[in-house]
Amino acid sequence: MFPAWTNMGCLRYTQRHAKILRPDQHRYIRRFQAAHHWLEPHPDDDEETRWLFQGLPASCGKFRLGDSETIDAHEIFSHIVSWKKRISLRNMYEVYPRKGETWAVFKNWDIGWYRNPESHKAYEFELVEILTDYCCGVGVHVGFLGKIEGFSSIFSRKNSQGMDWGVVLVKERLRFSHRVPSFQMTSNEGLHGIKSFFELDPASL
């Protein structure tokens, strides 16, 4: 399962691949092609339904199997996404942040954005480290990240309003914008005195 870049330059839609068609395997194919299904967000309540109806993004939660399509633009794919299939529901998948991942969350997010969606299309983000796996009764604990001075894509834990961690509740899960691929690094000598930090994918920032 992969998220893909939309024509608006955002990572939004998660995909489930059915088949990769390669020129060296099919005599009538002259370039890379991928047959896949789009995954469509499946809301849990009326407010999530209104949010999605206004075209606002959803990158975690429940998704159902959508339309199939064949594309030949491999560069739109970003990275592999962790997911779980709902055994009790056919063609239903769950995507939630997992411990150790890094994600972007909407700054000053509010579910009420759907009431005036045009005022909330210029998104601002905060970056967080996922400290716990998602729990359906609680949500997920996150640690706030800040850029290390002198580097464009290296981040470490920081304080936000006096704390370096917080909780994204279940009802706030649409606050998650997209996963940011990263590598966690450590240094015995430290970087600016910091011994643990993340190098984030610049294309996802």
Side-chain angles (χ1 to χ4, degrees):
M1 186 180 292
F2 297 80
W5 293 98
T6 69
N7 56 10
M8 297 177 64
C10 299
L11 286 170
R12 286 295 175 263
Y13 301 103
T14 311
Q15 302 179 359
R16 173 177 175 267
H17 288 273
K19 192 175 184 181
I20 302 296
L21 308 177
R22 292 166 42 188
D24 59 339
Q25 296 176 339
H26 300 269
R27 59 182 297 186
Y28 299 110
I29 296 176
R30 296 185 178 180
R31 60 184 182 277
F32 165 92
Q33 291 184 349
H36 69 92
H37 287 274
W38 292 105
L39 294 184
E40 304 295 344
H42 184 77
D44 269 353
D45 56 38
D46 289 343
E47 287 203 310
E48 287 190 5
T49 299
R50 295 186 185 102
W51 173 281
L52 297 172
F53 181 77
Q54 293 297 335
L56 293 167
S59 61
C60 71
K62 300 181 184 68
F63 294 81
R64 57 180 173 78
L65 204 61
D67 295 336
S68 62
E69 186 180 26
T70 298
I71 59 174
D72 56 16
H74 63 83
E75 63 273 8
I76 73 170
F77 301 119
S78 175
H79 55 273
I80 296 175
V81 170
S82 301
W83 58 278
K84 181 173 68 174
K85 194 174 188 307
R86 289 290 297 271
I87 298 176
S88 59
L89 296 174
R90 185 180 180 185
N91 294 331
M92 190 73 72
Y93 302 83
E94 292 182 341
V95 177
Y96 292 110
R98 294 193 178 185
K99 182 178 179 180
E101 295 179 343
T102 47
W103 280 67
V105 296
F106 293 114
K107 195 173 183 178
N108 301 318
W109 176 88
D110 190 292
I111 189 65
W113 283 3
Y114 66 78
R115 297 185 182 94
N116 189 12
E118 294 304 319
S119 298
H120 302 286
K121 292 295 178 72
Y123 305 120
E124 292 185 75
F125 304 105
E126 294 180 293
L127 296 167
V128 298
E129 173 191 0
I130 306 302
L131 302 179
T132 62
D133 286 333
Y134 179 86
C135 175
C136 61
V138 178
V140 61
H141 289 73
V142 301
F144 302 111
L145 298 176
K147 188 184 298 184
I148 296 179
E149 184 178 355
F151 297 88
S152 61
S153 58
I154 297 181
F155 289 70
S156 66
R157 292 283 292 276
K158 71 164 188 176
N159 284 337
S160 178
Q161 298 180 348
M163 297 183 65
D164 69 349
W165 67 277
V167 180
V168 178
L169 302 175
V170 173
K171 64 181 180 180
E172 300 172 336
R173 66 186 179 197
L174 291 176
R175 183 181 174 189
F176 285 104
S177 169
H178 58 279
R179 183 187 162 206
V180 180
S182 65
F183 291 98
Q184 186 170 14
M185 301 180 290
T186 58
S187 170
N188 291 330
E189 297 180 356
L191 181 66
H192 292 220
I194 301 167
K195 295 186 180 297
S196 179
F197 42 89
F198 292 90
E199 182 174 7
L200 306 185
D201 175 20
S204 299
L205 296 177

